[in-house]
Amino acid sequence: MTTGLKTRDTFRLTSAAPSEVAVPAFGGLPGALAAQGAVVRTRRGQSLALAIDGSEAVFVVRAGALMLRVTLPPGLRQVVAILYPGDVFRAAFAPPAASAHLSAVSSGEVLRFRWTAFADLAASDPEIARYYEDAVARQTARQAIHMAAVGRFDCRQRVATFLVELALRTGMRAPCGGLTFEMPLNRTDMADYLGLNADTLSRTMSRLRASGLLSHPERHRALVRDFEALAALTPAAQSLTALCGEAALSKHG
Amino acid sequence: MTTGLKTRDTFRLTSAAPSEVAVPAFGGLPGALAAQGAVVRTRRGQSLALAIDGSEAVFVVRAGALMLRVTLPPGLRQVVAILYPGDVFRAAFAPPAASAHLSAVSSGEVLRFRWTAFADLAASDPEIARYYEDAVARQTARQAIHMAAVGRFDCRQRVATFLVELALRTGMRAPCGGLTFEMPLNRTDMADYLGLNADTLSRTMSRLRASGLLSHPERHRALVRDFEALAALTPAAQSLTALCGEAALSKHG
DNA sequence: CGCTGTCTTGAAACTGCTCAACGCGTGTGG
DNA sequence: CCACACGCGTTGAGCAGTTTCAAGACAGCG
């Protein structure tokens, strides 16, 4: 909030995404933020405390990715969200009484603040306020798509959706002409993210591999030969490209 | 953001909800907001445009409830969120290319602003900024629970979760000793919210009715004899009471 | 080399979905 | 006033897709 400027995303209503894509505010992290936050380097699996000696924490992801997992009484686990560079997470986003757990899915770097300090920064610097607001809005919109995927897609659609998401985020053009990207989550976490059984997920990916859409040159890395074909498998393809930007697709690795 | 004050919610980490519940900031709507916003009276089914002649809108729910529905290409519909009094909705929360649609599920009243104007208000009034931030955080936490429900619960658990949610929100002690509340959504919308088939939902509710937990004294209204028993059916009961407050449970209708 | 954790795969069981029929309340026109 | 169509909810039967459970493959590591 704070600034009267228009959202960087060209604002759209319903309807198909135009080719001019809303580029998320990566790189655009306000300098004042980086100067004030505590830098935390993350390693895969590392968990991040939601409180800093009793007071609420806020995180801003600079590199790598985080995930928020909740666990409900009978051991039902759900990975609620994956946070990519540019995303923000306030501890109050975690639901109470649900064993909320924030952890890194890959090595990277996050900025950490006390919420009180962060709010003061935002109050005094419109750029920070606007950055935070836009990040929250972007993430909320992404969550909506994820919700629809988990609520309505069959297993192949869900997996395709996730792969497209990863490809758009971290994909690089491979020398051989396809698209490669990290698969930082293990099968269980991926299944928990997609609301699937780990066995079902494994089967589904095997089928994608068998159909030639996907291959695993090495563990924790995927190669997609024909991105268009993969995107055609998920009803959310348009929304995802609009949300993540297609910048990644042109980067060469 | 803006204010350095601590969130009204006593901040908690993981673990079970204590009996002292985080009361959502109803009634606590800053006066300055009400003075500035355009009052919109809603009727059931009425849809709310996400843009005010081309610029982004924000809504603050004062009474009644709204729902956000997305529809993906093959006609897959998902009700992503239900917004109750005190909740806020910024148009940028709606995902692009997903036929996002915001509509009223019951008659009520919402305040409408242009986002630019709202942001300016928040920048100048810390109380408004804090109200908005806390509302967004509360809603995000609720979404996390909903995500877990859609991703991991079986149909009975999902329906129980929804009923508990409604009971906590709008439930009143009935003269006969149970709890009554409105059921503003029709079967289809409820099913879309829960990620279920409408037929399955109907069956599930019939079973609940047959087991004596639920009854329909009149259309669009439910009566729960034994709230504890209903709450015992959902793994999210603790989280829901922590998020919605139990104030409603003591109100007499 | 053998251990462990992760991933894969198969067969059976089950849950929820599809499709179609029916009941009911409401609105409309004869 | 009745007949009819319509929207909405309910219900049954059969089916499809997912989960469950258990066994096996594979890589990493002491």
Side-chain angles (χ1 to χ4, degrees):
Chain A
M1 41 199 17
T2 296
T3 129
L5 296 174
K6 189 119 173 303
T7 305
R8 172 170 326 189
D9 294 14
T10 74
F11 178 64
R12 4 169 186 54
L13 280 178
T14 56
S15 80
S19 55
E20 40 97 12
V21 183
V23 180
F26 293 158
L29 212 163
L33 261 190
Q36 298 283 330
V39 176
V40 179
R41 300 210 128 270
T42 62
R43 293 183 329 275
R44 180 175 188 153
Q46 177 181 339
S47 92
L48 299 171
L50 296 183
I52 308 174
D53 24 82
S55 72
E56 187 184 356
V58 192
F59 300 93
V60 179
V61 181
R62 279 228 290 216
L66 308 181
M67 70 180 179
L68 174 67
R69 175 176 23 220
V70 305
T71 307
L72 262 20
L76 300 173
R77 288 178 311 172
Q78 175 74 34
V79 171
V80 168
I82 298 180
L83 304 170
Y84 299 98
D87 287 348
V88 298
F89 183 86
R90 177 183 166 179
F93 290 172
S99 301
H101 183 92
L102 183 69
S103 62
V105 297
S106 63
S107 48
E109 192 176 294
V110 310
L111 296 174
R112 192 187 61 193
F113 307 81
R114 285 170 198 269
W115 168 250
T116 51
F118 189 91
D120 289 343
L121 280 178
S124 60
D125 183 343
E127 193 193 356
I128 293 180
R130 173 154 171 270
Y131 177 82
Y132 178 79
E133 290 314 324
D134 287 356
V136 167
R138 187 174 7 105
Q139 288 168 239
T140 304
R142 247 167 45 207
Q143 277 298 97
I145 295 298
H146 185 208
M147 189 89 232
V150 170
R152 286 297 177 212
F153 292 1
D154 65 29
C155 67
R156 198 181 63 167
Q157 291 173 321
R158 294 189 209 189
V159 173
T161 304
F162 183 59
L163 292 174
V164 167
E165 192 181 323
L166 284 178
L168 288 171
R169 284 282 158 197
T170 63
M172 308 264 225
R173 295 237 88 95
C176 62
L179 213 57
T180 44
F181 49 90
E182 283 281 325
M183 303 253 323
L185 276 64
N186 63 23
R187 287 283 177 277
T188 308
D189 288 334
M190 237 171 106
D192 288 343
Y193 180 63
L194 298 174
L196 288 173
N197 186 308
D199 300 321
T200 304
L201 173 61
S202 181
R203 258 184 276 273
T204 307
M205 294 201 59
S206 297
R207 243 171 274 146
L208 287 180
R209 237 178 284 127
S211 70
L213 280 172
L214 183 70
S215 54
H216 284 174
E218 47 183 301
R219 210 173 178 72
H220 292 235
R221 177 157 278 277
L223 168 64
V224 174
R225 303 258 165 216
D226 181 356
F227 180 77
E228 299 304 321
L230 182 66
L233 292 183
T234 164
Q238 282 212 324
S239 294
L240 291 176
T241 56
L243 280 166
C244 303
E246 323 186 77
L249 295 189
S250 50
K251 275 187 303 196
H252 287 67
Chain B
M1 43 203 11
T2 296
T3 131
L5 296 173
K6 188 120 172 306
T7 306
R8 174 170 322 191
D9 296 15
T10 73
F11 177 64
R12 6 177 182 47
L13 280 179
T14 56
S15 78
S19 55
E20 41 97 11
V21 184
V23 180
F26 293 159
L29 212 163
L33 262 189
Q36 297 284 330
V39 176
V40 179
R41 303 209 127 271
T42 62
R43 293 185 327 277
R44 177 171 194 161
Q46 178 182 341
S47 94
L48 299 170
L50 295 183
I52 307 175
D53 22 81
S55 72
E56 186 185 355
V58 191
F59 300 93
V60 179
V61 182
R62 278 228 291 218
L66 309 182
M67 70 181 179
L68 174 68
R69 177 178 18 223
V70 304
T71 307
L72 262 19
L76 299 173
R77 288 179 312 174
Q78 175 74 35
V79 172
V80 169
I82 299 181
L83 304 170
Y84 299 99
D87 287 346
V88 298
F89 184 85
R90 178 183 166 179
F93 291 171
S99 302
H101 183 93
L102 184 68
S103 63
V105 297
S106 62
S107 48
E109 193 176 294
V110 309
L111 296 174
R112 193 188 60 193
F113 308 80
R114 284 169 198 269
W115 168 250
T116 52
F118 188 91
D120 288 344
L121 280 177
S124 61
D125 183 343
E127 194 194 354
I128 292 180
R130 176 155 169 270
Y131 178 81
Y132 177 79
E133 290 314 323
D134 286 356
V136 167
R138 190 175 3 107
Q139 287 166 238
T140 305
R142 247 167 44 207
Q143 277 298 96
I145 294 297
H146 186 208
M147 189 90 235
V150 170
R152 286 299 177 209
F153 292 2
D154 64 29
C155 68
R156 198 181 63 168
Q157 291 173 321
R158 293 189 210 189
V159 173
T161 303
F162 183 59
L163 293 173
V164 166
E165 192 180 324
L166 283 178
L168 287 170
R169 281 284 157 200
T170 62
M172 307 265 223
R173 295 238 88 96
C176 61
L179 214 56
T180 45
F181 50 89
E182 283 281 324
M183 303 252 322
L185 275 64
N186 64 23
R187 287 285 178 275
T188 307
D189 288 335
M190 234 170 109
D192 288 343
Y193 180 62
L194 297 174
L196 288 174
N197 185 308
D199 301 321
T200 304
L201 174 61
S202 181
R203 260 184 275 273
T204 307
M205 295 201 58
S206 297
R207 243 170 272 145
L208 287 180
R209 239 178 282 127
S211 71
L213 279 172
L214 184 70
S215 54
H216 283 175
E218 47 183 301
R219 210 171 176 76
H220 292 236
R221 176 158 279 277
L223 169 64
V224 174
R225 304 257 164 215
D226 181 356
F227 179 76
E228 299 303 321
L230 182 65
L233 292 183
T234 164
Q238 282 212 324
S239 294
L240 291 176
T241 56
L243 280 166
C244 304
E246 321 186 79
L249 296 189
S250 50
K251 276 187 301 197
H252 287 67

